[in-house]
Amino acid sequence: MAVLHIVKHSPDASQALRRCLARVGPSDSVLLIEDAVYAPASDAALRCAGKIYALLPDMAARGLTRNPLQGDVEYVDYAGFVQLVVNHDKVISWN
Amino acid sequence: MELIVDGKRIATRDKGFLADPADWNEAVALVIAERERLALDAAHWEIIHFMRAYYRDYHHLPNNRQFTKAVQKTLGPDKGNSRYLYGLFPGGPLRQVCKIGGLPRPPSCIT
Amino acid sequence: MAEGMNGKRFLFVLRRFPIGGPQALEALDAALTAAAFDQPVRLLFLDDGVWQLKRGQPAASGRSPMALLGSLALYDIAAPPWVERESLEERGLTPQELTIEVTVLARDRVAALLDDCDVLLNL
């Protein structure tokens, strides 16, 4: 039993990321998509009890690359996105 | 479109729903019911008064499923079911009850 | 239908300001619809959603979900809604200022509540 939390807004545009991270459990995961991928590309604070993933195609579309300073972030392609959804029994989107 | 009740003109809009809920009284209800080809008896009034109380308390227009559930919880399962409610209001219970009860048209009622 | 009976267990996470848009009212309406389909429904108020519970909102407008919150028992939503303590504190609210009875929950317990359902909706 675990929850996949999806965030799609950048930390500047919305509080969604911060509010999501505060409610993540140890067996949960967070997937950053769309403008939320600006967070791992920057020095935004990305700490939570679970794992954090960023969607590579959305990073590539914005000219972003893996940020060595965000060592806790893992990266997934679309197949990885699907695998995350499969591996968690619930999905919640934070707007 | 307007209704004439006891010589008074009462405006309607929105497919026969009252323009001003404050115009409602039981005489108005009888005239609207007649247009809906319904002769109201005590069983009809019970549902109409239930719905008016619901709207007064919760400021909410339910959808069909919520309406049936709320009737069931308040008046019992013998009345909170589609067969009973359609028996009383064959033109659609929620729509007809709100219209005759002087309430706004529920958003879920498309006709 | 009471909790523990058949059906999918829904958790509605309510995070919207009460007025300024239809979202808060529509989210509660969705929860009541699920309950009207005899599904066990729980409510969790987080973030700005806790403002929906504040006592003293003018009820007559019909725009705030406040009046409709009185209907939870009518729809067999038996358990008091959960409210996150930190969401209240960050906004200077206390449980005594709320319009209905709630269960106050610490932030570090929210993840477990989110996981304890079959259908999770963040509205």
Side-chain angles (χ1 to χ4, degrees), chain B residues 24-63:
Chain B
W24 189 87
N25 57 45
E26 295 199 352
V28 171
L30 289 170
V31 172
I32 303 172
E34 200 180 333
R35 290 194 170 200
E36 297 280 316
R37 301 172 200 278
L38 282 178
L40 301 185
D41 63 21
H44 295 96
W45 283 114
E46 182 180 43
I47 305 296
I48 292 164
H49 288 307
F50 158 78
M51 190 57 219
R52 286 184 56 83
Y54 177 98
Y55 186 73
R56 179 199 64 212
D57 291 345
Y58 306 127
H59 306 282
H60 177 243
L61 294 162
N63 57 40

Side-chain angles (χ1 to χ4, degrees), chain A residues 54-86:
Chain A
L55 189 63
L56 274 172
D58 285 355
M59 296 190 74
R62 289 161 178 78
L64 304 175
T65 53
R66 300 172 192 225
N67 179 356
L69 299 177
Q70 297 279 15
D72 293 339
V73 177
E74 297 182 35
Y75 299 87
V76 291
D77 55 14
Y78 286 121
F81 186 160
V82 173
Q83 194 61 49
L84 282 173
V85 173
V86 170

Side-chain angles (χ1 to χ4, degrees), chain A residues 1 19 23 25 90 93-94, chain C residues 47 84 87 91 115 117 122:
Chain A
M1 300 291 277
R19 288 173 166 178
R23 280 69 174 243
K90 285 175 288 278
S93 291
W94 296 81
Chain C
D47 301 329
E84 188 193 62
S87 293
R91 290 160 183 81
D115 205 10
C117 67
N122 190 359

